[in-house]
Each structure stands twice: as structure tokens, then as C-alpha cells.
């Protein structure tokens, strides 16, 4: 049935201890303790209240705009959690061979956070390193809205569409969507032709709330960036296009976004030479702090007032 498995996310050690004590009180023999039946029932009630109280506190406590850049190797996957705890997954990674990033990386990450459904899934374009894990995600958790680029659907997107009942939206430049008080602005959504590279139809998206703003670029080309530079507003965080390729991240676009923090989602020792030295120089010239998933692992970024705080799973696991 639907309740055979319940996703609760990671628990503090105290919750784990209370949970196992509750199991002992419920199903253990009364011979092992000196409690009366009344005292036993009281302890069971206290354990239940503690677990429910901690769960409710975690569900309703104030939450800043948060973005997780998931380490999927040479690919992209990012999870945005809004202050109202609505969820937006942008790209799902994808590696060569039988290794499914959706079932082996993205889904476990979502479950660790206690996420059992997605309010929105957005794919920047259909290349395997961005859409390869989408079908597995859709097969295992419900998705309310699905935003796709205007291009011929790749095999990965076709597999996704077979596994979801989400409301299907094809992105158009200049349109906005909302998740509570958070806006998803489609800055650029080129229409791909049958013979064009999917990178040329990659979406450029700006996510903004009262807390802060993030710009996602997929694998947008320099040409697309230059066209978008006149329409885009600044973003405190930039997901660097095409894993830091020298063919993207043009200076006019970087100047328009003016990021405080630039994140490069890239595989360690990849064969493409990403990120390129020219891109790193341009990012340094625009004053952005650079963080990379190949060096830092997954990155968690929170917008706490006017501050942008970045934590690395490799070095600061206690913040995840």
C-alpha cells in the first residue's frame, strides 16, 4: 500500500534513541523492566509526543531560501527549497553506462531531506548529463509541474514523460511561474530545430524570493547568454553554464548577473578540461567567489537575510 514506506528524512540522534525506546516499550517483554502498566503507557505517550513535537517543529520552523547543488559528477542537478518548503528540482544529472544518477544519487538525497514529492521539475535541455536521472525520479515520487525546453524530446525526456502524470509546460521566454512567494523567471527559452545542438535551446532561469536570487544556465551557449544579458536582472548566485566551458560565461553576461557566488557543477578529472581557465579568469574578474562540486562535493547555499552562506558536504557535513 501507499504507507508501506514513509519518508521522514534524517533524524537527530535523540530521535533515533526515542524511536527504539518506543519500540521496546510497545513490543518488548515487560519482564525486562520494573515499570507498572500505567508507567509503561505514560512513557509510550511521552515518546510519541516527543517524536511528533520534533517533527512538527522541523516542518514549521522558519526556513530560508536554500539551494542544494547535488554532486552528480559531470552533469547538473540542483534542488531549490523555498521559504514555504516548496521544492524545485532543476536537472537530474546523468552518467554513461548503467549508473542511474536519478535512483542512486538524486532520490537518496531527496529522501535524506525528507522530500517525498516535487512541486516542480525543470529540465534545462535534454542532454543525458542533465536529464538522465529524470525518469527514475518521476517513477518514484510524484511531480506536480514539469517544465521542459522547446526542443525535440531526447530519449531521456521521452522516458520521463512515460513515468509522470505531472502538468506539462513548455517554457517560453519572459514567462514567470510561482512557488508560494518564490518566482521562477524564464529569461531565455530558445526554440530548438531538428538539426541544432540541444545546448542552443538550453533554458536560462532566474529563481528569486525576498531572501535572494539564483540564476541557472544549463549549458547555454555564449550566443544565448549575450541575448539574455539585456533581459536578466542580477543574481547573487550563478550556476555557471556548461560546467565551466570556455565557450560560455561571457563577460557581458557575467556583468549583467553580477554574482557574489558562482557554482560550477563538474566531474573530477573530466576529459573535457572543464572548467576552462578562461572561464575561471572571467569569474575572478567579475568578483565572484567560485565553488566547484568536483572539489567540494555537494554544496548547500542558504540566503540568510543579506548573507549568502555556502556549505560543502566534503568539509562541513554537519550543515546538511
Amino acid at each position: 500500500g501507499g504507507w508501506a514506506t514513509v519518508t521522514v528524512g534524517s533524524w537527530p540522534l535523540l530521535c533515533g534513541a526515542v524511536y527504539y525506546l518506543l519500540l521496546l516499550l510497545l513490543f518488548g517483554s515487560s519482564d525486562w523492566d520494573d515499570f507498572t502498566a500505567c508507567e509503561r503507557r505514560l512513557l509510550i505517550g511521552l515518546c510519541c509526543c516527543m517524536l511528533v513535537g520534533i517533527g512538527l517543529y522541523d516542518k514549521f520552523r522558519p526556513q530560508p531560501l536554500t539551494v542544494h547543488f547535488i554532486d552528480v559528477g559531470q552533469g547538473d542537478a540542483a534542488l531549490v527549497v523555498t521559504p514555504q518548503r516548496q521544492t524545485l528540482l532543476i536537472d537530474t544529472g546523468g552518467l554513461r553506462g548503467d549508473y542511474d544518477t536519478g535512483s542512486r544519487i538524486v532520490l537518496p538525497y531527496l529522501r535524506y531531506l525528507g522530500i517525498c514529492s516535487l512541486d516542480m521539475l525543470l529540465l534545462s535541455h535534454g542532454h543525458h548529463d542533465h536529464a538522465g536521472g529524470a525518469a527514475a525520479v518521476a517513477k518514484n515520487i510524484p511531480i506536480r509541474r514539469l517544465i521542459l525546453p522547446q526542443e525535440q524530446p531526447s530519449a531521456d525526456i521521452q522516458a520521463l514523460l512515460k513515468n509522470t502524470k505531472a502538468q506539462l509546460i513548455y517554457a517560453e521566454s519572459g514567462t514567470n511561474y510561482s512557488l508560494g512567494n518564490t518566482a521562477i523567471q524564464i529569461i531565455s527559452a530558445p526554440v530548438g530545430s531538428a538539426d541544432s545542438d540541444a545546448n542552443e535551446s538550453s533554458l536560462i532561469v532566474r529563481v528569486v524570493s525576498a531572501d535572494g536570487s539564483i540564476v541557472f544556465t544549463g549549458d547555454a551557449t555564449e550566443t544565448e547568454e549575450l541575448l539574455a544579458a539585456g533581459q536578466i536582472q542580477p543574481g547573487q548566485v550563478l550556476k555557471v553554464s556548461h560546467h565551466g566551458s570556455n565557450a560560455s560565461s561571457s563577460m557581458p553576461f557575467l556583468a549583467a548577473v553580477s554574482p557574489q557566488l558562482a557554482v560550477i557543477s563538474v566531474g573530477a578529472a573530466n576529459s573535457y578540461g572543464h572548467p576552462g581557465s578562461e572561464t575561471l579568469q572571467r569569474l575572478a574578474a567579475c568578483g565572484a567567489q567560485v565553488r566547484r562540486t568536483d572539489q567540494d562535493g555537494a554544496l548547500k547555499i542558504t540566503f540568510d537575510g543579506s548573507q549568502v552562506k555556502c556549505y560543502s558536504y566534503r568539509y562541513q557535513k554537519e550543515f546538511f
Side-chain angles (χ1 to χ4, degrees):
W3 291 98
T5 303
V6 178
T7 300
V8 297
S10 63
W11 276 8
L13 290 175
L14 176 62
C15 279
V18 171
Y19 174 73
Y20 285 109
L21 174 60
L22 178 61
L23 292 182
L24 284 173
L25 291 169
L26 286 170
F27 304 111
S29 170
S30 60
D31 296 335
W32 64 273
D33 61 46
D34 295 325
F35 297 122
T36 66
C38 181
E39 290 170 337
R40 196 180 178 97
R41 286 194 294 270
L42 179 60
L43 281 173
I44 289 172
L46 288 174
C47 289
C48 291
C49 288
M50 184 175 291
L51 291 176
V52 170
I54 292 174
L56 289 174
Y57 170 76
D58 188 65
K59 184 176 180 62
F60 293 107
R61 65 185 171 87
Q63 150 104 21
L65 176 66
T66 302
V67 55
H68 299 257
F69 290 95
I70 305 171
D71 183 6
V72 290
Q74 184 70 8
D76 275 18
L79 172 72
V80 177
V81 183
T82 74
Q84 291 78 38
R85 286 181 169 74
Q86 292 174 292
T87 51
L88 162 65
L89 181 64
I90 299 181
D91 290 338
T92 58
L95 298 172
R96 296 175 183 174
D98 296 330
Y99 191 97
D100 191 320
T101 58
S103 60
R104 301 186 68 175
I105 299 177
V106 178
L107 277 170
Y109 199 103
L110 296 178
R111 287 169 178 151
Y112 172 80
L113 296 174
I115 294 170
C116 52
S117 66
L118 289 171
D119 293 289
M120 188 178 290
L121 169 62
L122 182 149
L123 296 181
S124 62
H125 62 298
H127 278 170
H128 184 67
D129 59 331
H130 293 252
V137 171
K139 189 175 182 180
N140 285 276
I141 63 174
I143 300 167
R144 292 184 178 86
R145 284 185 284 179
L146 173 62
I147 298 181
L148 296 179
Q150 298 188 59
E151 62 181 16
Q152 291 294 319
S154 66
D156 289 313
I157 289 183
Q158 291 177 35
L160 163 65
L161 293 174
K162 292 178 182 177
N163 284 284
T164 185
K165 297 179 180 178
Q167 176 191 357
L168 180 57
I169 301 168
Y170 287 98
E172 295 184 13
S173 300
T175 54
N176 294 337
Y177 304 96
S178 62
L179 289 175
N181 295 328
T182 301
I184 293 87
Q185 303 171 342
I186 309 298
I187 306 300
S188 175
V191 179
S193 60
D195 58 350
S196 65
D197 183 357
N199 288 346
E200 297 174 5
S201 57
S202 193
L203 303 181
I204 295 178
V205 178
R206 182 173 180 264
V207 177
V208 58
S209 76
D211 289 356
S213 54
I214 316 115
V215 173
F216 295 92
T217 55
D219 281 355
T221 63
E222 181 179 2
T223 300
E224 186 185 350
E225 287 179 340
L226 291 172
L227 291 172
Q231 286 81 44
I232 198 165
Q233 293 177 299
Q236 291 161 285
V237 176
L238 169 67
K239 199 293 298 182
V240 176
S241 180
H242 203 183
H243 323 292
S245 165
N246 286 331
S248 300
S249 300
S250 59
M251 279 305 298
F253 182 74
L254 294 180
V257 176
S258 188
Q260 299 175 28
L261 177 65
V263 175
I264 302 175
S265 187
V266 63
N270 64 86
S271 60
Y272 305 98
H274 296 158
S277 58
E278 295 174 20
T279 292
L280 293 175
Q281 290 170 8
R282 289 193 291 266
L283 290 168
C286 77
Q289 177 192 359
V290 175
R291 302 297 292 268
R292 299 164 46 169
T293 58
D294 62 334
Q295 296 178 347
D296 297 314
L299 295 164
K300 176 182 176 182
I301 297 169
T302 61
F303 296 80
D304 189 2
S306 60
Q307 289 186 315
V308 178
K309 298 179 180 178
C310 182
Y311 307 101
S312 159
Y313 183 72
R314 187 163 295 168
Y315 302 111
Q316 296 161 300
K317 297 182 181 180
E318 67 272 19
F319 290 100
F320 282 75

